Amino acid sequence: MILSIALGAAGCSREPEVDFDLQVRPILQDRCTICHGGVKEEGGLSLLSAEDARRPGASGAVALVPGDPSASEIFRRIRHPDPRKRMPPKGSPLSPDEVEVLGAWIESGAHWPTHWSYVVPGRPDPPTIRRQAWTHNDIDRFILARIEAAGHQPSAPADCATLVRRLHLDLIGLPPDLAEVDDFCSRPDEAAYEALVDRLLASPRFGERWASMWLDLARYADTKGYEKDPHRTIWRYRDWVIEAFNRDLPFDRFTVEQLAGDLLDDPTEANRIATAFHRNTMTNTEGGTSDEEFRIAAVIDRVNTTMEVWQATTIQCVQCHNHPYEPIRHAEYFRLFAYFNNTADSDLASESPVLLSFPDEVQARAAAPILDEIRRLEGELEAAGDEDWVQERLAGWVEEARRQLMSSEGRDLFGLKEIPGESEIEEIIKTPAPELDPNERMRLTRYFVSVVPDLKPLRDQLAAVKRRLAGLDPIPTPVLEELPARHARITRVFDRGSWLSPTDPVEPGIPGALGRLPDGAPANRLGFANWLVSPDNPLTARVMVNRLWHQVFGRGLVPTLEDLGSRGDRPTHPELLDWLAIRFSRDLGWSVKAFLKELVLSSTYRQSSHLDTQLLEWDPHNELLARGSRYRLSAEQIRDQALAVAGLLSPRMFGPSVMPPQPDGVWNSPYGGSDRWVTSTGEDRYRRAVYTYWKRTSPYPSLVTFDHPGRETTASRRIPSSSPLQALVTLNDPVYLEAAAGLADRMRRQPGEPVDRIRWGYRAALAVPPADGTAQDLLDLFEESLASFRAEPEQVRSLSRSAETQLDGAEHAAMTVVANAIMNLDDFLSRN
Amino acid sequence: MKLEQELRHAWAGHLTRRHFLRRCGLSAVWAAAGGLQIGTGSAVDPTIPAPHFPPRAKRVIYMHMAGAPSQLELFDYKPTLERLHGQECPESLLAGRRFAFIQGTPKMLGPQAVFTRHGESGAWVSDRLPHFAETVDEVTFLKAVHTDEFNHAPAQLLMLTGSPRPGRPSFGSWAVYGLGSENENLPGFVVLLSGKHQPDAGRAVWSSGFLPTVLEGVQCRSEGEPVLYVSDPEGLPRDLRRRTVEMVNRINRQSYEEVGDPRLLSRIEQYELAFRMQVSVPETMDIGQEPPEVHQLYGTEPGKTSFANNCLLARRLVERGVRFVQLFHWGWDSHGADQSEALNLGFKDRCREVDRPMAALIRDLKRRGLLEDTLLVWAGEFGRTPMLENRSGMDNRFVGRDHHSDAFTVWLSGGGVRSGFTHGETDEIGYQGVAGRVHVHDLQATVLYLLGLDHERTVHRFQGRDFRLTDVHGRVVEEIIA
């Protein structure tokens, strides 16, 4: 097959005839590394890297001798005539083709290139193409080169109305007004197009649309998760994300503030709110659970999330053992873990530490002196913990407490009250003092300070000051806060990933495969975040441009957004990906808006999405982008669009999450309690979906039906599904009926005959005019409905909810049926 | 097989192959890559999921008792525990153990029910379940099941998704993923809830995780709308609803002619199915049609939410070819902290609520010839301690037991398991399994096996690795297979 051609040319040159990534790595990964890889190293052999493979195994034989297949144990064993010695020991032997591939590969020097995504991208030259006139910018050259090489041609541009709608949905997540469509289509020249793009990028709606993408990655929710899943106040982080997109906070800064905003010099309130990114981890408030266990679960989630969001590197498996496919070692996982293991939060129901902010300036000013006072008193209590007399009393108390704990008699711990989390204090008490790490000593001291009678006056004073906040409305946002060095936790490698089996201590650091930290970089989250966005990082820019590309074209240049590693998909346009990464991070200074502008100004973007059978057969998944993309809208877009077209959508931004109508009985938590779905009133019923209250264990049903993720863990990609439940939502959900009635209202105010109103309504919803046949179909539906409602007028009132249309209720009801049909068309639910 | 499955499911519902092939005559390769629209296949269609071996069960009714019922009051009779009643628990049983609530040294608690043997198999069942006791000869008991988690939500997740943390596909999703659905008018995986609350882990226990959302359990309800948004909007006559759907599909078909996107064909089919569901779901969910004799058998009252109604609904659903029906009955967390949690009070109520219906379900399926290829599973997420719970080292107001992950009882019936059989055994106080221990991953492997699926080959590639219901564990419990 492919290989015999490669071998045929072997005479003159020893250049890589065999493609390692395409031909060799799949064989190694599918047939060998399950026993000879990161998890197991049978016979002392690992095939994770060239170095590993060239080391002698347990038998002394060397698996891989470049240039010499006959001396390579691996080649001998895959062809061994004795099935008991032949590799792999289970399943079918390697096929003759596979054996030939490995042989040729070893023969030609066993070239073992570093996986492409671990190599810092360069700036490829845009390729030469024939149809210069088609291109708007360099992106088009990369795309066109592939299309031309395949002997095809790009599609014609989309019509102007379709393009206006596409731009609106992609950039701000909402459909255009008809006036905007007409305005642009009256003079659809280049300047008008660019002006439209600029206007959309500057719209406050922009941030609301792009926040949805980021909030999936941030696993943002309004509850704490796990079993009880109680309320969490963290909406200020959601607002921070919206604002960050709106003011086009450069992505490098966007990164650093979220991962380490608290460690910046003199951090602002916004910098600290940004760190709530990693306080979206779940908190377990169920009785009997170990706070330390779930604190560690949260830290693990932070490591995994960070690596997926910024590096598209799957690292979950390295918790327990070396990576089975990537050159990442078990201990390296815990070096990453060490960066995130030193924040003050510890799975407490109180969410401490929280940042108190206030709804307005007046309150903020009033609160400032109180907060200062609280900080001062808390500092005093903290300092008291270091005083000799406290430490002396503590030592005696611990001794007595330990004695009581070890005996079976009743215990009163010196009559001190019991507080939540005590079981862990107990564990610390039982541990001999010399074995405690600084953090455990701190927790013990803090506990003692919180109960020892001598400090009661100081504690009472603090409580009194805190009560002075009562007249104000502080918004407590959980944030990251670094423990001071003297209380720092010691990170240890967990044997097989179990937190109950800590082994050797490790220092913070990055996996060797991804590069090296610059000298003098601080060994904390700030140093780590700075490295992520440094030019030395091979992945961050590629990962982000791939995400943005996916949002605009419906498919990433690497379709597996979550994995750019060796198990992820290969890029369809590797040079373009690298070119975009450099363009975004260097030329455009990490500006998301400037980058998106280049994408939507390209001719590639502006193509029509029509496909004929030939185009479909040639490129079913539209990998080469010889046509515009067509895909279903997101959950948020579907809701927002319906409300917008109905004229109901509220433009109100920010603030606590809202609770639009949902069916009774959906929200039914095991413990009932104070968390209730209280349907919002007035404008708040019609806010954009990004403001909908998100309860992890009972998420808003109609959004989930359209593939909104549960937000328990980070989600890079929503896989669009198609299910009858979706049809039931847009056909029957009262929210969508209300929207249909709203559109019907607008249609009825239009002049002309019913068919004119129907044409107008169709255009208001889809931007393009209906085909004549479609208008006739909808008119038939209108007339049938009208006849039906005239015959049974009692039906009208319930369907036609709008009060002002009682003049001719039957007509409005019939128009509502038509509007409901329009709002269920695939063209309406899709972006063309 | 793996690759084929992955391709099949990668974009579930991406196109309707049959229409597409008829129309465009494209190669089967593209069709396979385009994926399958679950639930609309024909037997000869190669892209419809197929079992790995001949299935013994075609469908499953899984009854999950959320809160974890006490095996020591129902099935696992321990005379020795009765003798030790009131004595302090020996230190050896407590060393190195963590409990949810027990602290210090608790006392042993004898069985809080009267046990007798039943049927030809002589299985021990307590007087809490008199109706069920008459059906033990149809049942296989697993007496030494164990799990890794001792809090409700993680243990429910481990039992039903194979992992203690949310985010993995559930049992039913995997079953439909591997086998498809048999009914064109109903979802393949249906969830029915009863009891005061939903299960502690919430929707995550019937989630499709990273599998396509079409595989998520569809919650059907006895009160209000049987499926969310399945009823016609108020004031819209059924005829107009039908006409709307016809018109939407007509226009969608025109769009397809124009833009040629095969996804449109899938959309058309989904609207057809949605409309069929609008007709068939309310019909299926209307137990009012059942004769009085059936209501008497189950103890059902139409229009209420109850475990009895859900058992009858489960029968109606499997009769119509639904692959996996998942029942949850909440309220078994018998700590003894209050009356509803007391073994001598609330627990008795729970038993009364499930006893007659679950016995009726076995009998009803059997007489209809459905029991032989319908598998019933009855389980909690863990068991309860042989010790009396002493929350915070003090006596609770009522009698109760703490969470216990080391040993509990699960029963199965029909669908290829042995009848009148008991597998596994616990020590003389029911604290540890001493023979025939079955981990929850083993139970999962066994249920999949009975459905004809190899748990090691029922996998899905996600985030760079193959995931399966049994994680990296699981052994088929061959001993219980008929």
Side-chain angles (χ1 to χ4, degrees), chain B residues 290-471:
Chain B
E290 294 283 341
E293 170 264 332
V294 168
H295 289 302
Q296 207 172 354
L297 182 68
Y298 283 87
T300 35
E301 289 175 75
K304 278 198 167 171
T305 297
S306 69
F307 183 74
N309 283 12
N310 288 350
C311 282
L312 179 51
L313 282 170
R315 190 214 81 207
R316 292 173 64 88
L317 289 163
V318 296
E319 240 174 358
R320 286 160 176 76
V322 171
R323 182 73 65 190
F324 203 102
V325 183
Q326 174 80 57
L327 275 65
F328 289 97
H329 191 56
W330 187 91
W332 292 97
D333 197 12
S334 311
H335 286 288
D338 66 33
Q339 198 166 318
S340 71
E341 287 187 346
L343 279 176
N344 44 352
L345 295 159
F347 179 77
K348 283 165 93 172
D349 296 337
R350 289 301 89 70
C351 291
R352 251 194 309 278
E353 287 155 13
V354 302
D355 177 39
R356 179 193 286 263
M358 65 196 196
L361 186 56
I362 293 175
R363 289 206 175 102
D364 201 15
L365 288 173
K366 183 160 170 114
R367 69 183 180 177
R368 285 164 200 266
L370 283 165
L371 190 60
E372 55 189 66
D373 56 4
T374 303
L375 178 66
L376 303 186
V377 184
W378 187 97
E381 60 267 25
F382 40 64
R384 321 265 348 162
T385 53
M387 292 83 86
L388 176 71
E389 177 168 322
N390 63 340
R391 195 168 289 205
S392 307
M394 297 182 302
D395 287 346
N396 282 348
R397 282 181 59 210
F398 297 91
V399 179
R401 302 181 186 274
D402 203 353
H403 306 171
H404 188 53
S405 55
D406 286 11
F408 59 108
T409 303
V410 168
W411 62 258
L412 303 97
S413 178
V417 298
R418 297 170 74 168
S419 343
F421 185 68
T422 293
H423 176 70
E425 194 186 324
T426 55
D427 60 26
E428 48 186 0
I429 57 167
Y431 195 56
Q432 296 281 350
V434 291
R437 295 182 82 215
V438 172
H439 188 270
V440 293
H441 284 132
D442 304 333
L443 177 65
Q444 291 156 357
T446 308
V447 172
L448 289 182
Y449 174 82
L450 291 166
L451 283 166
L453 294 171
D454 180 346
H455 71 104
E456 291 184 345
R457 286 190 281 159
T458 307
V459 298
H460 185 82
R461 168 74 44 90
F462 175 69
Q463 291 190 337
R465 71 164 263 217
D466 283 340
F467 282 90
R468 57 184 220 231
L469 177 59
T470 50
D471 198 2

Side-chain angles (χ1 to χ4, degrees), chain A residues 166-320:
Chain A
R166 184 188 290 176
L167 269 181
H168 275 75
L169 290 168
D170 286 347
L171 293 181
I172 64 169
L174 294 172
D177 281 345
L178 265 186
E180 281 174 288
V181 178
D182 292 339
D183 186 41
F184 176 71
C185 290
S186 66
R187 220 173 55 113
D189 61 21
E190 195 55 30
Y193 185 77
E194 194 173 338
L196 175 60
V197 170
D198 286 336
R199 201 162 64 239
L200 292 173
L201 290 173
S203 160
R205 308 275 84 90
F206 173 87
E208 293 171 330
R209 178 259 188 268
W210 289 89
S212 291
M213 172 192 79
W214 195 258
L215 296 176
D216 279 1
L217 294 168
R219 65 274 192 247
Y220 170 84
D222 295 299
T223 56
K224 295 189 180 94
Y226 290 119
E227 175 166 2
K228 289 194 170 173
D229 199 25
H231 172 78
R232 165 181 282 166
T233 302
I234 196 166
W235 53 265
R236 290 218 52 194
Y237 167 73
R238 178 247 286 140
D239 289 353
W240 180 88
V241 174
I242 293 172
E243 272 185 314
F245 276 107
N246 273 343
R247 65 192 157 102
D248 200 18
L249 184 66
F251 186 71
D252 53 347
R253 186 75 189 174
F254 183 74
T255 298
V256 171
E257 291 190 17
Q258 290 181 84
L259 294 177
D262 58 317
L263 299 176
L264 293 169
D265 289 336
D266 207 5
T268 63
E269 183 179 285
N271 294 156
R272 298 186 60 201
I273 298 267
T275 67
F277 174 86
H278 268 326
R279 293 304 306 278
N280 285 306
T281 47
M282 299 195 283
T283 295
N284 197 337
T285 53
E286 197 195 355
T289 57
S290 154
D291 290 341
E292 182 62 3
E293 176 180 357
F294 286 92
R295 184 191 73 79
I296 287 168
V299 176
I300 286 172
D301 182 55
R302 286 169 196 163
V303 175
N304 298 346
T305 298
T306 307
M307 291 304 282
E308 179 171 334
V309 170
W310 278 276
Q311 304 288 273
T313 297
T314 60
I315 197 161
Q316 285 85 331
C317 35
V318 197
Q319 275 166 52
C320 306

Side-chain angles (χ1 to χ4, degrees), chain B residues 58-346:
Chain B
K58 288 189 175 148
R59 45 202 105 74
V60 175
I61 298 174
Y62 191 120
M63 294 169 268
H64 187 96
M65 302 295 114
S70 169
Q71 75 284 8
L72 297 167
E73 268 65 40
L74 296 178
F75 311 114
D76 206 13
Y77 178 47
K78 294 295 161 190
T80 309
L81 190 57
E82 204 149 24
R83 282 200 300 279
L84 295 172
H85 180 82
Q87 296 184 23
E88 281 202 351
C89 179
E91 197 56 38
S92 60
L93 296 185
L94 304 173
R97 297 296 304 257
R98 274 200 304 161
F99 295 94
F101 292 98
I102 283 180
Q103 290 185 348
T105 306
K107 295 193 168 61
M108 304 307 289
L109 178 67
Q112 302 294 297
V114 178
F115 278 80
T116 36
R117 305 184 80 129
H118 297 271
E120 286 179 23
S121 54
W124 288 102
V125 177
S126 85
D127 59 354
R128 295 280 175 261
L129 300 174
H131 292 91
F132 174 75
E134 293 168 22
T135 63
V136 290
D137 287 343
E138 302 295 340
V139 168
T140 282
F141 290 95
L142 299 175
K143 286 285 186 66
V145 182
H146 61 110
T147 180
D148 309 330
E149 297 293 327
F150 65 86
N151 275 309
H152 298 293
Q156 287 166 3
L157 285 162
L158 185 65
M159 194 73 166
L160 294 165
T161 75
S163 159
R165 309 247 189 278
R168 300 277 181 89
S170 54
F171 223 136
S173 301
W174 282 114
V176 184
Y177 176 76
L179 298 170
S181 175
E182 286 186 322
N183 185 314
E184 295 208 351
N185 303 329
L186 292 168
F189 174 20
V190 170
V191 177
L192 298 163
L193 307 185
S194 57
K196 236 171 109 185
H197 297 293
Q198 66 174 27
D200 313 71
R203 300 169 44 94
V205 281
W206 63 85
S207 151
S208 60
F210 41 73
L211 295 178
T213 45
V214 280
L215 297 171
E216 184 143 317
V218 171
Q219 190 191 337
C220 290
R221 314 183 307 166
S222 313
E223 288 177 88
E225 280 189 290
V227 165
L228 286 183
Y229 316 120
V230 83
S231 318
D232 291 326
E234 227 183 310
L236 185 73
R238 171 56 53 92
D239 228 29
L240 282 182
R241 169 48 77 232
R242 185 177 53 77
R243 287 294 289 148
T244 312
V245 172
E246 280 172 8
M247 217 50 104
V248 165
N249 274 352
R250 215 175 125 116
I251 299 171
N252 281 345
R253 215 162 281 126
Q254 285 159 11
S255 294
Y256 173 68
E257 304 291 338
E258 204 193 327
V259 302
D261 182 354
R263 212 173 39 81
L264 271 153
L265 296 171
S266 156
R267 173 84 55 208
I268 290 166
E269 190 122 321
Q270 298 303 359
Y271 272 72
E272 283 169 5
L273 175 53
F275 185 70
R276 289 198 302 270
M277 274 175 65
Q278 288 207 255
V279 179
S280 62
V281 168
E283 186 274 329
T284 305
M285 298 294 291
D286 180 10
I287 58 170
Q289 302 169 357
E290 294 283 341
E293 170 264 332
V294 168
H295 289 302
Q296 207 172 354
L297 182 68
Y298 283 87
T300 35
E301 289 175 75
K304 278 198 167 171
T305 297
S306 69
F307 183 74
N309 283 12
N310 288 350
C311 282
L312 179 51
L313 282 170
R315 190 214 81 207
R316 292 173 64 88
L317 289 163
V318 296
E319 240 174 358
R320 286 160 176 76
V322 171
R323 182 73 65 190
F324 203 102
V325 183
Q326 174 80 57
L327 275 65
F328 289 97
H329 191 56
W330 187 91
W332 292 97
D333 197 12
S334 311
H335 286 288
D338 66 33
Q339 198 166 318
S340 71
E341 287 187 346
L343 279 176
N344 44 352
L345 295 159

